[in-house]
Each structure stands twice: as structure tokens, then as C-alpha cells.
Amino acid sequence: MKSLIRAEGVHKRYGAVDVLKGIDLEVAEGEVLAVIGPSGSGKSTFLRCINHLERIDAGRLYFRDRLIGYEEREGKVYELPDKAIAAQRVDIGMVFQRFNLFPHMTALENIMTAPIMVKKEPKAEVRERAYALLTRVGLADKANSRPDQLSGGQQQRVAIARALAMRPGLMLFDEPTSALDPELVGEVLDVMRDLVKEDGMTMIIVTHEMGFAREVCDTIVFMDDGVVVESGPPGAVLGEPRHERTRAFLSKVL
Amino acid sequence: MTTTRQTAGPDSQVRIQAVPLRHPGRWVGAGVLGFLAIFLLQGWVANPRMEWKVVGEYLFSPAVLTGLGTTLLLTVLAMVVGVAGGIVLAVLRMSPNPLLSALSGFYIWVFRGVPLLVQLLFWYFLSAVVPTIGFGVPWGPTFVEFDTNMIITQLTAAVLGLGLHEAAYMGEIVRAGITSVDPGQTEAAHALGLTRFQTLRKIILPQAMRVIIPPTGNQVVSMLKTTSLVFAIAVPELLTSIQGIYSRNFQQVALLTVACFWYLVATTVLNAGQHYIERKFSR
């Protein structure tokens, strides 16, 4: 299968701290990948590098065989201008731990803004699609609600709809249920599960929901201290971990 | 079957009839202040040298009302220049381009560092050193040329002076507003493919308004009073008109009372508006 994301020796440092110490990874079209690991292991940072919210310091990170945030010509790497980076992000949807809905807009406006502003799609068409997406995430009746009138689970579902409205080829989820009250986690996971089953969406999910990861994901990557310790099918990584660090982590969370 | 349960006895429903705490100090203080107020007011109102007739005569005179109109016009124009300039300065200050950021910092340093009165005089007397303003090739031919005195009239000098000075302060207010917005908002907008400029215009600035608008209301009230400084370059606003009148009839205090009255009326109206806006945006 064709690889959508390819990471080769990705490094990222903040000041004197190496957060990512050489990540090698491939994500195929249609693959669902969960990244697990203790906090501070660099899993969220890696996710943010994929749509260039963080710039990488060394290595190569490709999306559809194009460098992310940079351009390579004749053996030299050039920074991309703001507009080109924005254009690259159009195809990559992202869902944040803290939802980050735009508080001054209704749920519907949150979903409609980017397709209209970025893709210049006709308003009527976008509105129709936004309603369809809200229906899909079970919030058709909340179209005109503002984020502060919605529960955390509802906000996150709107955030997923907002990302889907751009028709991305890849969805990134950065601990999408970590900020939710326990009883609201299920409704968000249901929407994500539906995305995998119905759309065959390629997804990279940073999560602590081991049950969900085992059920939905094709591959699980365990990261610790800025490196990928092991990766493989859920049964193998969660069931028979080969590394001591993986075992130690799983014994704490399972 | 329904049962009515008595949860609290009737005794607990009786309101406490406590004797209120006495505040004798307040009564003494009020008495002293009241006495002082009456004493001072009597000295002012009943002063035989205070020409109340003159106050009444000029309170609604056309010269004073025209001056008041000019004061209000100046306030509006200077604030428009100030707010527009402030947004530009804040955006430049936060730009990743070090040249633009430094330029904005330099502007704020200069315009906050030089007294406003000096700046007003500077703009007014600009024609003395720059007699003409033209458009053309530097050190080459000039295509259009104007007499500086034609462009920078007293009113434009006043608007420029007040507005450019205000822009430096508004720049800091706008910047505080922009930095108050959660960085997650920028990230979400960027992740959706919005450019930096689109993010600023559609996502950040609308949210920053909550923080920007209340202090801007303060700036408007302050500007209304600050416009009186332009009497130095003889713009016929409220204070200049008042001055013109008392230089002829020598009723300074009576006429300044007229000025105080109108400034207080205007600031009271603005403060009420400010109060309303703050309440609206604090939600």
C-alpha cells in the first residue's frame, strides 16, 4: 500500500531538551495508527510536526511524498512560505485535546469558516455539508449553539466535524478524549470509530484509550523518551510486548 | 401514595431580627464633609465676583457650541487614526519579520516618549522646514507638489498630533488583546489551513476585542479631555473658543465654568456608554 506519511530520523528539540530523537515511521493510506506512551514521551510533539505546528530540526517528514514545511531542491532544503504551509495543511485535519473551537462562532460557523475562507467553496454548498456533518456527529440540533453552550463531548464532536469539512486525506487526533469527563468519552470514540468503518479514513491517534486502540487501530506505536520503542499490530504490542519499557508502561495503564 | 415530609421546623423559618451594627464614624465623617461642601459651595456660588449671569449667557452661545462640536469632531477623528494605527502597530510588533517589529517598536518609543504638546507644535510648524510636500522620484523629478500649509491645516495638524500619539498607546492595548487569546485558537486555525493574516482577521482579532474595547473606551474619554491641548495651535475647539471670549470680557472663571460644564456633560455621556460596553463585553 502507498504510504501517506513517511518519517525518517525526525528530530525535535526545545532548547537543550531533545523531545524527538529520530523517529522512523510509515503510515499507509487507509491505515489507523495509535501512538501510545507515557506523558513527555514526545508523541504529541510528533503529531504536531506532521502538520508543521512544530518545525522539525533534523530528518525528513513526508506527506504524500512531499516534505512537510520545507522543499528540497538540488540537495538543499528551503523553508516554505506561510501560504504554501497553509496549503499543505488543507489536506490534514487535526483534533485537539482542548477542542479549540472558535468561541465567537456558532457550531455551524466553526465548521463553515475554513471551507469558505481557504477553499473558496460556495457558501450554500458548504452550509449543506456542515449540516450533514453535524447530523453525522449527532448534533444537528446544536447548529446555532456557541461552544460555551455545549458539553465537552459535544464540543469535541463539533471539532471533528470542523476538521472533516475540509475533506482531509489524513486526520490527526491529539488525545481527543483526555480532557473529557469519563461519561462523555464514549460519544467521541463512537464518532471516531464511525470514521474508520464508514470512510476508511487514515488516522493517527495519540491516545490513552487502550481498549479503543486495540479495537480500531491497525498498528500501535509505543513511544518513550523521544523514540519509537516498538510498533506492530495491537495484539502483539498490547498482548505480547517485546520490550521491558512497553511492559512497564502497559502494566500501569491496562 | 404520597407523603408530605416536614424537613424543617417552623422555628428555622423565622428571619433573624438582629440589631444592625452602628457606624458612628460614618455619621461624623458625613457631617464634616457636608459642612465643608456647603462652605466651599457658598464661597463659589454666592461669590459676588462670580458672574453667574455671564455663565448663563455663554452656556449655549453659538461660539461655545461650535467649539464643543469641534472638540467632539477632533475626538472622533483622532480616535479613528489612533485605533487604526494601533492595530497596524500591534500587528507589525508581533510580526515574525524583525524589521517590521523593530519599526513598530521604534514608533512606539518615539511617540510615547515625546510630550503630546511638543508633537502638536511640531506638526503645526512643519511647514517652516518642509514648505512643500510632493510625490516623485527621490532626488529626481517631482510630479505633484503641494504647499505644506495647504495640507497640514490647524485641524489636520491637531488630528495628526493627537491621532499618531494615540496610536502608540492603542498599539499596546491591541497587543495586550491579541496576546490574551488562547494560542490554541491560532493552532486550530492554522491546522485548518488559514494563513497567518486570515487567522488574525477572522479568529484572533474578534476575540481580542473583548480585551481591547474596555480600555479603548477609557482612551476615548481621555482623548476628549486631551483635545483641549490643541488650543496651543489655535484650533477653534471648546477651550480655544472659551479663551477667545474671556480674552475680550475678562470673565475667565465664569467662562472656564462653562467649559467645565460641557466637558463634564461629554465625559458623563461617554462614561455611561463605556459602562454599557464593558458590561456587554465582560459576558
Side-chain angles (χ1 to χ4, degrees):
Chain A
M1 234 195 253
K2 201 166 157 279
S3 83
L4 203 60
I5 288 286
R6 198 166 82 247
E8 297 169 356
V10 168
H11 273 80
K12 170 75 193 171
R13 67 179 348 188
Y14 292 115
V17 185
D18 287 298
V19 186
L20 300 177
K21 302 171 182 170
I23 303 286
D24 296 294
L25 200 87
E26 271 193 60
V27 183
E29 189 111 47
E31 189 176 354
V32 180
L33 185 108
V35 184
I36 61 170
S39 62
S41 58
K43 51 194 195 310
S44 282
T45 304
F46 177 65
L47 200 71
R48 293 159 58 81
C49 288
I50 294 175
N51 64 0
H52 207 58
L53 287 179
E54 306 284 349
R55 57 168 59 207
I56 63 174
D57 296 317
R60 297 285 186 273
L61 188 51
Y62 298 94
F63 175 64
R64 295 195 204 280
D65 294 321
R66 279 182 60 203
L67 269 185
I68 292 165
Y70 300 93
E71 193 177 21
E72 198 161 20
R73 278 179 272 131
E74 291 146 18
K76 269 190 150 170
V77 177
Y78 298 87
E79 276 182 40
L80 284 179
D82 182 43
K83 277 202 172 147
I85 292 171
Q88 279 190 329
R89 287 171 176 148
V90 167
D91 214 13
I92 304 175
M94 183 151 185
V95 174
F96 299 86
Q97 184 178 351
R98 304 235 32 116
F99 332 131
N100 295 350
L101 288 182
F102 306 132
H104 58 303
M105 299 180 183
T106 63
L108 194 70
E109 288 165 347
N110 262 282
I111 298 171
M112 290 174 65
T113 299
I116 291 170
M117 285 195 80
V118 178
K119 287 187 156 180
K120 317 283 181 210
E121 291 181 83
K123 211 169 177 175
E125 199 184 305
V126 175
R127 184 185 299 273
E128 208 170 299
R129 191 159 84 230
Y131 270 116
L133 283 166
L134 276 175
T135 309
R136 181 173 180 181
V137 300
L139 293 171
D141 55 329
K142 300 289 185 190
N144 295 315
S145 302
R146 295 198 178 250
D148 59 6
Q149 298 165 327
L150 301 174
S151 73
Q154 291 171 332
Q155 287 190 53
Q156 194 61 300
R157 285 187 278 155
V158 172
I160 294 173
R162 176 174 73 175
L164 291 175
M166 294 296 280
R167 303 186 200 277
L170 168 70
M171 284 284 281
L172 307 174
F173 291 86
D174 186 5
E175 305 199 21
T177 57
S178 298
L180 296 176
D181 291 337
E183 78 272 19
L184 303 177
V185 168
E187 62 191 54
V188 172
L189 294 182
D190 285 344
V191 170
M192 292 168 64
R193 194 178 288 119
D194 182 62
L195 263 181
V196 176
K197 300 243 162 79
E198 298 297 317
D199 300 31
M201 178 67 77
T202 314
M203 315 205 310
I204 304 178
I205 309 165
V206 171
T207 186
H208 293 293
E209 296 289 332
M210 296 302 154
F212 178 76
R214 182 194 288 268
E215 175 203 336
V216 168
C217 297
D218 304 304
T219 311
I220 291 194
V221 171
F222 173 70
M223 275 179 73
D224 191 15
D225 200 22
V227 293
V228 173
V229 177
E230 70 176 286
S231 68
V237 176
L238 299 178
E240 307 144 24
R242 283 171 290 139
H243 287 80
E244 185 49 45
R245 278 148 88 184
T246 319
R247 275 196 289 273
F249 173 72
L250 290 175
S251 72
K252 280 179 219 152
V253 297
L254 283 180
Chain B
M1 198 182 96
T2 50
T3 48
T4 321
R5 212 150 50 102
Q6 200 85 30
T7 45
D11 284 358
S12 67
Q13 304 289 327
V14 175
R15 278 186 64 156
I16 296 170
Q17 301 281 350
V19 179
L21 190 63
R22 307 287 179 204
H23 298 281
R26 290 184 193 174
W27 290 101
V28 175
V32 171
L33 274 181
F35 172 77
L36 276 174
I38 289 166
F39 178 73
L40 288 172
L41 211 63
Q42 197 246 352
W44 186 41
V45 174
N47 188 329
R49 270 174 272 181
M50 177 74 205
E51 297 277 358
W52 286 102
K53 202 162 65 69
V54 179
V55 174
E57 192 181 318
Y58 282 102
L59 200 53
F60 296 100
S61 79
V64 169
L65 291 183
T66 315
L68 178 66
T70 309
T71 290
L72 296 177
L73 178 72
L74 259 182
T75 307
V76 171
L77 291 179
M79 280 313 294
V80 167
V81 172
V83 169
I87 292 174
V88 172
L89 283 171
V91 170
L92 293 185
R93 191 90 178 99
M94 302 178 82
S95 154
N97 181 336
L99 184 72
L100 295 180
S101 172
L103 191 71
S104 170
F106 177 76
Y107 179 99
I108 292 173
W109 175 66
V110 170
F111 280 81
R112 286 209 308 190
V114 178
L116 178 54
L117 190 53
V118 177
Q119 291 184 38
L120 284 168
L121 292 169
F122 186 91
W123 289 110
Y124 183 53
F125 291 118
L126 192 65
S127 63
V129 283
V130 189
T132 59
I133 293 175
F135 295 95
V137 184
W139 292 290
T142 305
F143 307 128
V144 213
E145 202 170 53
F146 302 98
D147 186 350
T148 304
N149 273 331
M150 297 249 303
I151 300 179
I152 304 191
T153 60
Q154 284 156 321
L155 191 70
T156 34
V159 170
L160 274 178
L162 294 169
L164 296 180
H165 178 259
E166 183 62 26
Y169 285 89
M170 281 306 303
E172 294 295 288
I173 289 173
V174 174
R175 189 157 73 112
I178 290 175
T179 44
S180 76
V181 178
D182 175 12
Q185 294 290 309
T186 306
E187 289 185 351
H190 283 175
L192 284 165
L194 270 71
T195 61
R196 264 177 33 83
F197 183 69
Q198 287 173 326
T199 303
L200 185 75
R201 189 165 58 89
K202 270 297 232 213
I203 309 299
I204 306 304
L205 278 180
Q207 295 184 56
M209 282 305 158
R210 279 171 58 95
V211 174
I212 293 172
I213 285 183
T216 304
N218 267 333
Q219 293 297 106
V220 174
V221 176
S222 163
M223 177 60 80
L224 181 98
K225 295 175 288 174
T226 309
T227 53
S228 60
L229 277 182
V230 305
F231 89 94
I233 57 174
V235 178
E237 47 69 72
L238 183 55
L239 183 62
T240 312
S241 313
I242 292 283
Q243 231 192 354
I245 300 166
Y246 72 60
S247 65
R248 278 176 270 121
N249 67 7
F250 301 105
Q251 295 290 339
Q252 287 92 341
V253 175
L255 278 147
L256 286 171
T257 304
V258 172
C260 290
F261 172 80
W262 283 117
Y263 280 120
L264 279 173
V265 167
T267 50
T268 304
V269 170
L270 287 177
N271 275 325
Q274 156 86 348
H275 182 72
Y276 169 77
I277 286 169
E278 263 182 18
R279 228 185 25 192
K280 188 164 185 274
F281 276 85
S282 67
R283 275 185 297 153

